[in-house]
Amino acid sequence: MLAVRSNVQNLLRTQCLASCYKHRRFYKRIKGPSKPVKTVGLGRRKTIVYEQPGIVQPPTAKELFKPMAVEPRREDADNLGEEIVGALSRGSIASILKKFVIDKSVETLAQTNKVTGDLYQQCLESFTKYCLVSKPLSITLHIVFKDIEAGAGHVTDLFPFFLDHAKQVFPHIECMDELRQISNLSDPTTWYPLARSMKRKIVFHVGPTNSGKTYHAMKSFLEAETGVYCGPLRLLAMEVYDKSNAQGVPCDLKTGETRKFANDDDSPSNHMACTVEMLNTNLEYDVAVIDEIQMLGDLQRGWSWTQALLGLAAREVHVCGEETAIDLVEHLAYMCGDSFEVKRYSRLTKLEYLDQELGSLDNVRAGDCIVCFNKRDIYNIMTKLRERNINVSVIYGNQPPGTKINQSRQFNDPNSNCNILVATDAIGMGLNLAIKRIIFYDVNKTTLRHDGMKIRAPLSTSQALQIAGRAGRFKTRFEDGEVTTYFKRDLAQLKRIVSLPRENIEKAGLNATVDMIELFSYHLPNATLSNLLDIFKHVCTVTDHFFMCDVQDIQTLAELLEDVPLNLRSKFTFCVAPLKVREGIPRIMFKMMAKRISEGHSLTYDWLCRALGAPFCMPRNQSELIELEAAFNVIDIYLWL
Ligand SMILES: *[C@@H]1O[C@H](CO)[C@@H](O)[C@H](O)[C@H]1NC(C)=O
Ligand SMILES: *[C@@H]1O[C@H](CO)[C@@H](O)[C@H](O)[C@H]1NC(C)=O
Ligand SMILES: *[C@@H]1O[C@H](CO)[C@@H](O)[C@H](O)[C@H]1NC(C)=O
Ligand SMILES: *[C@@H]1O[C@H](CO)[C@@H](O)[C@H](O)[C@H]1NC(C)=O
Ligand SMILES: *[C@@H]1O[C@H](CO)[C@@H](O)[C@H](O)[C@H]1NC(C)=O
Ligand SMILES: *[C@@H]1O[C@H](CO)[C@@H](O)[C@H](O)[C@H]1NC(C)=O
């Protein structure tokens, strides 16, 4: 399997074409809402343009979760009501319902029955529709309507019918207490008894890129008897694994897709480098390092940093990251009863914002890195540079980690003739790059939101600083860095963005565990996984310093697998898979894998090769390259499963 993967990696490395730059999760931050300035285009492809730097939260859907279908009564049902108390006009039903909807005592009654807020509105809508569409009404409901019409009853008499209907449409109302209890996330510090039994010391290493903050944390890691490193990317975990072993400290590697042991007999060693999602909180360590701690505010992945920070069973926890996370981390340390300390570092080398834009590709020189935010720009620039007989290295998000590493080595090597880099913001984290000058090709970035809406907004200050900070590198031939833009029009805008204050991160992400979802499904046997996740989000309790992570990606996959007869636990496992390319072959293969498992077959190596059409050939054009990247993603998923 690994052989196939490295075959694909090699092919991808050789063909260094730009492609497939998908919107990446890492840079989505929670920020206050920005004001839309104008909307361009129509329908799903609308592009909203935002004035202020900062990314936008996805809109809340009007419908909380999918209601269960409740069939209205139809013509052929008995119509005893009318026979007993006489006919009822639609107009009269409608006007009674109108009063019912605005009656305050109905709302109060609903509240005591835990039907509140949006849920109440949704139930009202559904009930009204049900009464108006049912022909005829049930005998008892008919009589109640008739009484109210005659002045012999009050609209609140409809309430029992309303509540019955609500419980049919939203069965979870019936077991709200149990669900609330299961999803009570108000004190996540208590989830990690092992960590709570220890006296921990949290050390926050703060400083800009190139300040050596991680270096100091890593020093403690390497010197400790036992240690664990948790990083945001595979690439970073691999780097720590390599470095640690090279320095004679045996270290294992654990990412979603790879396990490697330092010892030949595959026995675990005392040090471990892993991606933060893969951290095992049941193992004790002397020293732990959590990199890029500000990502605990990440809309999707935040939960894994929160879990690491609260759950690491280590006497010393070194966290590295941005200033913006200090207050929150300090508060969480306080909640855990840990001691807390901040160590500040400043940049080791100079960083200068130039007054002169690049203007033309004729002005590029060795050590330049042109940063773009979409594959089309990358491709254009690369082609134009090649037309000028200039060799380039290319780095973007969907490349396999090995390819990125090779491209960065080639760029760093003064003898390679490839010392111009064209890259996306993928360079922001985790690659050692000897960049002299960062050139922003654009200062606005378009991201694709879950609902297919494209949003173009100026870079946030954090994003811009992170990218700009990559210019200049201590102990390389380019110690002092320079930053500029490609176009003259963007110079002032860039300077404005980087001078804005950054907002503190106020909340840390939490997630639902598979156990909680399983308990939910015990109470709600007929709900789909996607619906269970929605209900969870609605009923769960989180306190001030936390938020529930966004589960849209998981739900999309859950909906894809809705008709695959897998048990909930297996389905959940599939749905949290790192499927980066969500259309075409990976999507189809993903479903095929789930189907095969549900039919009791195993996913063999031969089957995968056949399904993917291995062996692979050298891609000849961009679309073949995209296919190859898709195949790589499928192999990753396979290894992950
Ligand atoms: C970027 O966005 C800002 C603010 O929305 C706008 O003034 C500027 O013209 C945009 N620049 C480009 C190149 O689109
Ligand atoms: C959640 O649990 C806390 C104690 O850990 C309790 O004080 C609180 O009332 C609970 N909230 C709900 C909604 O059950
Ligand atoms: C990276 O480069 C090394 C040496 O040039 C090569 O052996 C390796 O296969 C390459 N890896 C990838 C993934 O391209
Ligand atoms: C580009 O790279 C190739 C192979 O490494 C080399 O032969 C060629 O001279 C380079 N071109 C330039 C302009 O440096
Ligand atoms: C939530 O966290 C658990 C570990 O605490 C993890 O196994 C699970 O995959 C996470 N769920 C999601 C939806 O990411
Ligand atoms: C689940 O669905 C089945 C079949 O549609 C039905 O008989 C059963 O009553 C439902 N259970 C609940 C708790 O709604």
Side-chain angles (χ1 to χ4, degrees):
M1 190 70 261
L2 290 166
V4 175
R5 185 160 69 157
S6 83
N7 170 248
V8 177
Q9 278 200 347
N10 283 334
L11 293 174
L12 287 172
R13 166 180 53 111
T14 344
Q15 272 281 333
C16 113
L17 286 173
S19 89
C20 236
Y21 175 66
K22 301 286 293 183
H23 88 115
R24 287 158 46 87
R25 295 160 159 207
F26 295 152
Y27 296 97
K28 284 208 203 150
R29 294 269 150 73
I30 341 164
K31 277 278 159 69
S34 313
K35 256 202 195 130
V37 180
K38 57 181 181 223
T39 309
V40 197
L42 287 170
R44 283 179 72 76
R45 284 286 161 219
K46 254 183 226 160
T47 301
I48 308 178
V49 184
Y50 282 81
E51 179 97 272
Q52 289 303 318
I55 305 293
V56 192
Q57 296 210 25
T60 49
K62 182 169 178 290
E63 240 179 35
L64 287 171
F65 10 81
K66 281 203 201 97
M68 295 277 176
V70 175
E71 285 299 311
R73 285 164 53 93
R74 288 293 168 209
E75 299 287 3
D76 51 351
D78 59 62
N79 194 359
L80 282 173
E82 191 170 322
E83 281 168 31
I84 297 169
V85 291
L88 198 59
S89 75
R90 254 181 84 90
S92 154
I93 294 179
S95 77
I96 291 169
L97 284 170
K98 223 181 206 165
K99 286 191 198 120
F100 180 77
V101 168
I102 56 169
D103 196 301
K104 283 288 162 215
S105 50
V106 171
E107 193 171 348
T108 315
L109 275 171
Q111 260 162 17
T112 56
N113 286 279
K114 300 172 194 90
V115 185
T116 55
D118 290 346
L119 183 63
Y120 174 60
Q121 290 306 329
Q122 229 180 309
C123 289
L124 276 181
E125 236 165 73
S126 172
F127 179 64
T128 309
K129 202 165 146 203
Y130 173 81
C131 292
L132 289 173
V133 173
S134 289
K135 256 196 272 175
L137 291 166
S138 73
I139 172 166
T140 40
L141 190 52
H142 186 101
I143 292 171
V144 170
F145 267 115
K146 200 73 192 165
D147 280 352
I148 298 170
E149 186 188 37
H154 188 259
V155 283
T156 45
D157 297 346
L158 285 172
F159 187 77
F161 298 92
F162 167 77
L163 192 60
D164 273 353
H165 180 82
K167 284 177 179 171
Q168 276 179 59
V169 178
F170 298 109
H172 73 273
I173 293 171
E174 195 82 81
C175 46
M176 200 68 121
D177 286 335
E178 288 87 346
L179 299 184
R180 283 246 160 89
Q181 214 170 351
I182 297 165
S183 61
N184 185 347
L185 313 181
S186 61
D187 194 359
T189 59
T190 58
W191 302 350
Y192 310 100
L194 184 58
R196 290 299 76 75
S197 72
M198 301 173 86
K199 180 77 196 143
R200 300 194 312 171
K201 177 173 148 192
I202 313 263
V203 185
F204 197 130
H205 299 266
V206 62
T209 321
N210 269 319
S211 60
K213 56 178 189 284
T214 322
Y215 171 81
H216 287 94
M218 289 313 295
K219 215 165 148 244
S220 308
F221 166 83
L222 290 169
E223 284 166 3
E225 192 83 13
T226 59
V228 61
Y229 166 89
C230 312
L233 304 170
R234 257 198 270 194
L235 210 62
L236 277 160
M238 281 157 65
E239 198 181 298
V240 169
Y241 163 83
D242 288 337
K243 254 194 198 155
S244 182
N245 284 305
Q247 296 191 20
V249 179
C251 176
D252 300 336
L253 175 71
K254 187 169 162 195
T255 71
E257 302 79 5
T258 320
R259 301 289 133 90
K260 281 192 193 170
F261 293 95
N263 300 332
D264 291 336
D265 60 356
D266 283 4
S267 64
S269 43
N270 286 340
H271 286 72
M272 160 79 89
C274 62
T275 42
V276 60
E277 282 89 349
M278 302 306 294
L279 173 71
N280 182 346
T281 52
N282 295 318
L283 295 176
E284 279 189 47
Y285 294 98
D286 289 327
V287 169
V289 176
I290 312 175
D291 211 353
E292 307 287 356
I293 187 68
Q294 73 280 354
M295 284 196 56
L296 91 181
D298 187 90
L299 220 46
Q300 275 108 15
R301 294 177 72 208
W303 64 267
S304 29
W305 274 264
T306 311
Q307 169 184 278
L309 183 63
L310 302 178
L312 260 167
R315 274 163 280 283
E316 264 179 46
V317 181
H318 293 261
V319 304
C320 307
E322 290 177 9
E323 186 86 35
T324 52
I326 291 184
D327 290 350
L328 181 57
V329 172
E330 180 168 16
H331 183 82
L332 297 183
Y334 168 78
M335 280 176 76
C336 294
D338 301 326
S339 70
F340 181 74
E341 184 187 333
V342 178
K343 291 200 170 155
R344 288 175 194 275
Y345 306 88
S346 43
R347 235 184 105 93
L348 298 165
T349 60
K350 269 195 293 193
L351 184 65
E352 189 188 355
Y353 287 85
L354 304 178
D355 294 321
Q356 177 70 45
E357 74 283 357
L358 186 72
S360 155
L361 289 178
D362 294 330
N363 301 330
V364 294
R365 51 175 200 239
D368 273 350
C369 169
I370 304 178
V371 180
C372 318
F373 301 113
N374 67 62
K375 60 177 175 189
R376 200 189 49 231
D377 288 345
I378 288 211
Y379 190 71
N380 283 341
I381 293 174
M382 207 181 60
T383 314
K384 282 186 190 146
L385 285 171
R386 288 205 172 139
E387 281 166 6
R388 288 171 164 77
N389 245 331
I390 297 172
N391 283 342
V392 286
S393 304
V394 177
I395 295 177
Y396 57 90
N398 266 11
Q399 280 171 331
T403 309
K404 284 188 194 140
I405 289 174
N406 274 7
Q407 289 290 317
S408 65
R409 279 199 194 129
Q410 177 185 308
F411 170 73
N412 290 343
D413 179 1
N415 304 319
S416 73
N417 289 325
C418 269
N419 305 123
I420 310 285
L421 180 62
V422 183
T424 62
D425 44 356
I427 58 156
M429 266 184 214
L431 283 166
N432 285 319
L433 293 165
I435 297 172
K436 171 68 180 169
R437 181 166 61 169
I438 287 278
I439 298 150
F440 283 86
Y441 190 70
D442 200 346
V443 289
N444 295 337
K445 181 177 172 180
T446 305
T447 40
L448 192 62
R449 217 167 53 182
H450 288 311
D451 54 5
M453 187 92 89
K454 277 189 186 166
I455 297 183
R456 185 164 162 83
L459 289 171
S460 74
T461 303
S462 289
Q463 285 171 333
L465 285 174
Q466 193 168 33
I467 298 167
R470 288 268 142 190
R473 187 157 186 90
F474 193 47
K475 287 188 183 160
T476 67
R477 59 187 170 134
F478 301 127
E479 287 225 326
D480 294 338
E482 295 170 351
V483 183
T484 187
T485 58
Y486 187 88
F487 297 103
K488 193 172 186 65
R489 58 160 196 250
D490 293 335
L491 263 179
Q493 165 92 345
L494 177 67
K495 286 188 182 170
R496 193 176 72 89
I497 292 176
V498 295
S499 66
L500 289 173
R502 281 182 286 177
E503 277 170 50
N504 274 352
I505 295 167
E506 276 163 12
K507 288 170 193 276
L510 290 177
N511 86 345
T513 64
V514 64
D515 297 328
M516 296 173 187
I517 298 296
E518 209 166 46
L519 284 171
F520 260 51
S521 109
Y522 169 79
H523 288 289
L524 303 166
N526 288 351
T528 63
L529 177 53
S530 167
N531 221 352
L532 288 174
L533 289 167
D534 269 337
I535 296 172
F536 191 95
K537 193 154 189 163
H538 180 65
V539 305
C540 73
T541 315
V542 294
T543 46
D544 280 355
H545 295 281
F546 299 98
F547 69 92
M548 268 302 286
C549 282
D550 179 50
V551 287
Q552 190 64 51
D553 284 354
I554 302 169
Q555 282 177 309
T556 311
L557 294 183
E559 277 154 27
L560 183 64
L561 300 187
E562 202 147 286
D563 54 344
V564 179
L566 273 174
N567 69 38
L568 187 90
R569 206 165 259 275
S570 315
K571 204 176 259 191
F572 189 80
T573 304
F574 267 100
C575 295
V576 295
L579 189 67
K580 282 194 284 180
V581 186
R582 280 159 185 265
E583 60 265 356
I585 298 167
R587 189 182 151 98
I588 296 165
M589 286 288 295
F590 178 76
K591 189 156 183 179
M592 270 163 72
M593 289 193 224
K595 272 224 169 93
R596 267 188 85 80
I597 294 285
S598 75
E599 288 159 1
H601 300 293
S602 57
L603 297 176
T604 60
Y605 173 67
D606 287 341
W607 173 82
L608 185 76
C609 287
R610 244 179 303 128
L612 277 177
F616 304 98
C617 335
M618 183 66 72
R620 280 160 304 189
N621 51 41
Q622 205 182 353
S623 70
E624 284 184 11
L625 181 73
I626 291 175
E627 273 175 35
L628 196 60
E629 284 174 350
F632 186 83
N633 192 207
V634 173
I635 296 169
D636 261 357
I637 298 284
Y638 179 83
L639 290 171
W640 187 90
L641 287 169

